[in-house]
Amino acid sequence: MNIKSMTLTELTDAMKEMGQPAFRAKQVYTWLHRGVRSYDEMQNIPKELRSVLAEKYPIMTPRVMRKQESQKDGTIKYLWQLSDGNCIETVLMRYHYGNTVCISTEVGCLMGCVFCASTLGGLVRRLEPFEMLDEVLFTQVESGLPISHIVLMGIGEPLDNMQNVLRFLSLVNSPEGMNISMRHISLSTCGLVPKIDELAKEKLQITLSVSLHAPSDEIRDKIMPVNRAYPTDALLEACRRYYGQTNRRISFEYAMIDGVNDTEECARLLLKKLKGLPAHMNLIPLNRVEESPLKPSSRSAVMKFQKILEDGGVPATVRRTLGSDIDASCGQLRRKYTKEKQNES
Ligand code: SAH
């Protein structure tokens, strides 16, 4: 296992086997979670131990391939190259409540949602826990801005990489590491029902976001292939069970697509289906993706939709689009970069 994927307990055990006391493990762990690029930066670790560790557990770090900063709102997007050459993206958003990173959980995605750029090239591989940790660490290091919030809403489906994601959450939450509160973390899923049930058992204080995007199978089937495996009603039942287990209100995402899912009937059906489930609805005007003919709903359609939900007792906010001048949404930068590379060769 990569040293940065180890919990403090596991690292302590590994170092004990090397004849090292527990306090050393803690020192090394703290350095690693500050985003050092080499053991030589660990000033309070003896030189000999540093070279033994470097031999046994090489420190891998992502390389910045592109950095784009929005002139409008300060959003920064990083395209990283991982040790095996694959690229992923991380977005840093500056909200009034704190700096938030949106991280990728996989290289590419299997889910096939028709409006999403991340899935166009399929799934390449799942990220290791330390690679997700590195997204947070090195965004903080590179930007010089302290990170307090994390959303797992970048490239990939987090619940398709469940064990690694759970381990990442415990790493980033650890007091000797970044110590980011679970309440400051949101995880978004396209709706893998059995995995939602599994996650519920963990009873984490994170916010579960569910990408609903339609109130009925008729519409959802067309835009999200996952719906054929886990239909809308089964998904909403899983959300109710999740709430029952965790007592955490579910946050729903609803990308508003012109003429597809933005009618008043859709809003009313949604209200009916959400009855009795404590929820919050995030309405997101669709971000245009070059390869897709789908268009965002008009502003008036979004406002009307929001009003129907609010009047029906479901709090609904229209999400501000940050970074619209820098390809900041879901997989667009990675896609552009990969295409450029293909054209070059
Ligand atoms: N796989 C997870 C998390 C990644 S995507 C999921 O599906 O939830 C984060 C959110 O962005 C999801 O709600 C996704 O449906 C949405 N999204 C993807 N492409 C979009 C686009 N072009 N416009 C608006 N939202 C989009």
Side-chain angles (χ1 to χ4, degrees), residues 301-316:
V302 177
M303 302 317 280
K304 201 180 272 175
F305 204 92
Q306 180 187 26
K307 183 157 191 321
I308 295 172
L309 292 179
E310 291 267 353
D311 289 349
V314 173

Side-chain angles (χ1 to χ4, degrees), residues 272-336:
K272 209 168 127 191
K273 297 235 169 160
L274 293 177
K275 216 168 184 74
L277 175 65
H280 179 267
M281 192 60 71
N282 270 303
L283 303 174
I284 314 152
L286 184 81
N287 265 300
R288 287 212 77 154
V289 172
E290 222 175 84
E291 288 85 347
S292 155
L294 299 173
K295 290 200 303 267
S297 304
S298 69
R299 198 174 156 73
S300 66
V302 177
M303 302 317 280
K304 201 180 272 175
F305 204 92
Q306 180 187 26
K307 183 157 191 321
I308 295 172
L309 292 179
E310 291 267 353
D311 289 349
V314 173
T317 41
V318 180
R319 195 179 281 172
R320 259 190 323 146
T321 32
L322 293 179
S324 52
D325 53 336
I326 55 164
D327 303 309
S329 66
C330 287
Q332 295 190 15
L333 182 58
R334 170 173 174 265
R335 178 116 191 110
K336 204 180 238 182

Side-chain angles (χ1 to χ4, degrees), residues 115-116 153-154 156-158 188-190 211 213 253 255 286-287 289 330:
F115 45 79
C116 181
M153 295 189 184
E157 166 52 47
S188 179
T189 179
C190 64
S211 300
H213 302 325
E253 289 150 284
L286 184 81
N287 265 300
V289 172
C330 287

Side-chain angles (χ1 to χ4, degrees), residues 36 39 42-43 49 71 90-91 115 122 146 154 183 185-186 190 201 240 244 253-254 258 263 271 291 309 332 342:
V36 294
Y39 285 103
M42 303 186 178
Q43 286 146 9
L49 179 57
Q71 296 310 306
T90 307
V91 184
F115 45 79
R183 285 179 175 270
I185 302 177
S186 295
C190 64
K201 289 194 200 121
R240 285 174 201 277
E253 289 150 284
Y254 199 99
D258 185 41
T263 60
L271 273 181
E291 288 85 347
L309 292 179
Q332 295 190 15
Q342 280 164 355

Side-chain angles (χ1 to χ4, degrees), residues 2-65:
N2 186 283
I3 190 165
K4 263 186 285 180
S5 288
M6 292 181 187
T7 62
L8 178 57
T9 313
E10 289 164 344
L11 181 62
T12 307
D13 289 346
M15 286 188 56
K16 205 181 266 171
E17 271 173 34
M18 297 163 63
Q20 294 296 327
F23 79 89
R24 282 274 180 247
K26 201 164 163 179
Q27 287 173 328
V28 170
Y29 186 89
T30 307
W31 280 114
L32 290 171
H33 286 243
R34 268 189 221 160
V36 294
R37 289 192 178 270
S38 143
Y39 285 103
D40 289 332
E41 291 177 52
M42 303 186 178
Q43 286 146 9
N44 54 0
I45 305 295
K47 253 205 158 103
E48 311 81 77
L49 179 57
R50 284 189 228 161
S51 61
V52 175
L53 285 169
E55 182 74 21
K56 202 167 155 79
Y57 298 111
I59 298 181
M60 311 229 225
T61 54
R63 228 175 91 200
V64 185
M65 299 304 282

Side-chain angles (χ1 to χ4, degrees), residues 21 55 74 77 145 203 223 228 247 264 291 295 297 302:
E55 182 74 21
K77 183 155 193 165
L145 298 166
K203 294 197 192 298
I223 54 177
R228 289 172 218 146
N247 215 22
E264 293 182 37
E291 288 85 347
K295 290 200 303 267
S297 304
V302 177

